Amino acid sequence: MCDRDGTFYQQFSRRNFLKTTAAGAAATVAIPSYLAALLSPTAALAATTVKATHGSGFCNMGIFLAKERELTKADGVDLEFVVTPSNTEITTMFGAGLVDISMIPYSNFMTLYDAGAPVRIVAGGGVQGCIIVAKEGIKSAADLRGKTLGTFQADTLEVLPYDYLKKAGMTFQDVDVRYLNTSPELAQAFIAGAVDAICHIEPYATQCVQGRPGATILSDGTDLYGKGYSDCVLAARIPLLESNPAAVKAVIKALMVAQSQAESDKQAALNDTVGSYYKTSMEAAMDASAKQPIVVDQRDQTQFIIDRGVSMKELGYIQKLPDAGAFDWSLLNQVIAENGTLYSSLHLKSAA
């Protein structure tokens, strides 16, 4: 595990990550054959098919339920997932235009927006659920000095520990940061003792707490950011927004239906996703589910996301701070206006 972590770190340094995302934003880009094989032979989307990439946390539950329960089909849209071998390829494929929408951490979105990719945030995915978990004996930021910290690169799971250490007057130079590939791999690294601390999403953070005796939660993000902070967002490419806004609206509406269903019957939502999407126990998933809820309407998180650009710039992932141009809430506004009863039924939503 440690050797692989070191190789991954060397291959995907911040500089190389920036090169990758910048290349992904270009009109022409060389995509590895193992990624190209995941796509259909024709790059163009069918009229009613929307291809999407996604992550692995509870912030993705809305899009998972939309897919499993075929919630977009009522509006004539077929939602098709393109599965990627690691978190890095989610950003690469979206930036390269091989998929037209992505449920993506706001931080990864920033790298594409900064590189000039034609992408916009159009709705929310999930909030909270970014959690720093440490092994026995580590109770504070100061205790992390000289310890290994596992996370993902350019992810919200890197931004939180960066901000956490910064608040304590520390930097990443005070810890040994290890970048891993996938959510299960990151969780297993901590449980097996390969790293001293991690920043992870739910349900894996809860799995880590339960799987390593004496593990401690150092931060769940609310101590830094307050309740309801954004984690992942739904982003779409501008060509799709311009050519088929109805398809994007169908996805946004499906996410709202999924949120309403999950809020009304959490057990049924977990039954449809644990095992197939979440590699964890039902017990851990149930315990974790309230910590990272679906929130489609994240209009009130606009400034929070923009402000996180400061950390992303300090980390070296972006050259300029994001602005309001990164967001296009117009289709979300339309879906809300056209589905008043559905919107009113949602327990969690923006105050905007």
Side-chain angles (χ1 to χ4, degrees):
M1 179 69 70
C2 292
D3 288 343
R4 182 175 181 183
D5 292 353
T7 301
F8 184 82
Y9 179 80
Q10 292 169 9
Q11 291 177 342
F12 289 90
S13 65
R14 291 193 179 93
R15 185 175 181 183
N16 286 337
F17 185 91
L18 288 170
K19 288 180 179 178
T20 300
T21 53
T28 59
V29 59
I31 298 298
S33 58
Y34 67 89
L35 287 181
L38 295 172
L39 300 171
S40 63
T42 303
L45 294 176
T48 56
T49 298
V50 173
K51 289 188 176 182
T53 51
H54 60 77
S56 57
F58 268 142
C59 57
N60 290 266
M61 180 175 278
I63 202 166
F64 292 160
L65 292 175
K67 171 66 173 176
E68 288 300 299
R69 296 176 177 178
E70 300 184 335
L71 300 180
T72 59
K73 288 195 172 181
D75 292 301
V77 172
D78 182 26
L79 180 62
E80 180 179 331
F81 285 166
V82 176
V83 180
T84 58
S86 74
N87 286 18
T88 301
E89 280 77 14
I90 294 172
T91 307
T92 300
M93 294 186 72
F94 183 46
L98 299 178
V99 297
D100 273 318
I101 66 170
S102 182
M103 189 63 74
I104 189 171
Y106 65 75
S107 51
N108 296 91
F109 169 86
M110 283 185 196
T111 64
L112 295 176
Y113 183 72
D114 184 70
V119 294
R120 296 293 182 270
I121 293 172
V122 297
V127 301
Q128 300 180 182
C130 298
I131 299 176
I132 303 173
V133 183
K135 71 174 185 179
E136 60 281 359
I138 299 178
K139 305 294 183 181
S140 67
D143 293 335
L144 285 172
R145 196 178 300 274
K147 301 298 193 298
T148 52
L149 170 71
T151 188
F152 299 133
Q153 205 165 26
D155 199 283
T156 54
L157 299 180
E158 186 178 11
V159 175
L160 174 58
Y162 178 82
D163 289 345
Y164 175 76
L165 292 173
K166 184 178 179 180
K167 184 179 180 181
M170 298 170 62
T171 71
F172 269 7
Q173 298 300 314
D174 295 310
V175 297
D176 179 8
V177 182
R178 305 285 183 86
Y179 296 107
L180 284 90
N181 250 334
T182 67
S183 290
E185 182 184 44
L186 180 58
Q188 187 55 41
F190 178 75
I191 293 171
V195 291
D196 300 315
I198 60 166
C199 188
H200 217 332
I201 45 176
E202 292 293 5
Y204 301 99
T206 292
Q207 182 183 38
C208 289
V209 173
Q210 295 177 351
R212 186 164 178 176
T216 301
I217 293 177
L218 298 182
S219 173
D220 67 357
T222 60
D223 51 322
L224 274 75
Y225 305 141
K227 292 184 178 180
Y229 66 87
S230 178
D231 174 33
C232 64
V233 294
L234 181 71
R237 290 182 61 85
I238 291 176
L240 180 63
L241 292 174
E242 294 177 344
S243 66
N244 198 347
V248 180
K249 287 175 62 176
V251 175
I252 295 173
K253 178 184 173 183
L255 294 179
M256 283 192 184
V257 173
Q259 180 181 336
S260 180
Q261 291 177 350
E263 290 175 344
S264 300
D265 193 341
K266 183 184 299 182
Q267 186 62 63
L270 293 175
N271 289 343
D272 284 350
T273 54
V274 173
S276 53
Y277 294 105
Y278 301 122
K279 308 305 180 184
T280 189
S281 68
M282 183 63 71
E283 178 185 10
M286 180 59 73
D287 183 56
S289 59
K291 301 172 185 175
Q292 193 170 35
I294 305 168
V295 180
V296 180
D297 177 12
Q298 290 189 22
R299 292 173 295 174
D300 61 353
Q301 292 299 298
T302 301
Q303 191 59 49
F304 168 81
I305 294 173
I306 290 174
D307 290 345
R308 300 286 71 72
V310 174
S311 297
M312 286 291 289
K313 186 176 181 181
E314 290 174 353
L315 282 165
Y317 289 120
I318 60 176
Q319 299 300 312
K320 59 184 182 298
L321 298 180
D323 53 27
F327 304 83
D328 183 351
W329 300 124
S330 62
L331 297 183
L332 173 63
N333 290 334
Q334 292 176 35
V335 172
I336 291 171
E338 294 165 6
N339 299 274
T341 300
L342 170 62
Y343 183 69
S344 297
S345 73
L346 302 180
H347 297 165
L348 300 174
K349 53 198 171 189
S350 172

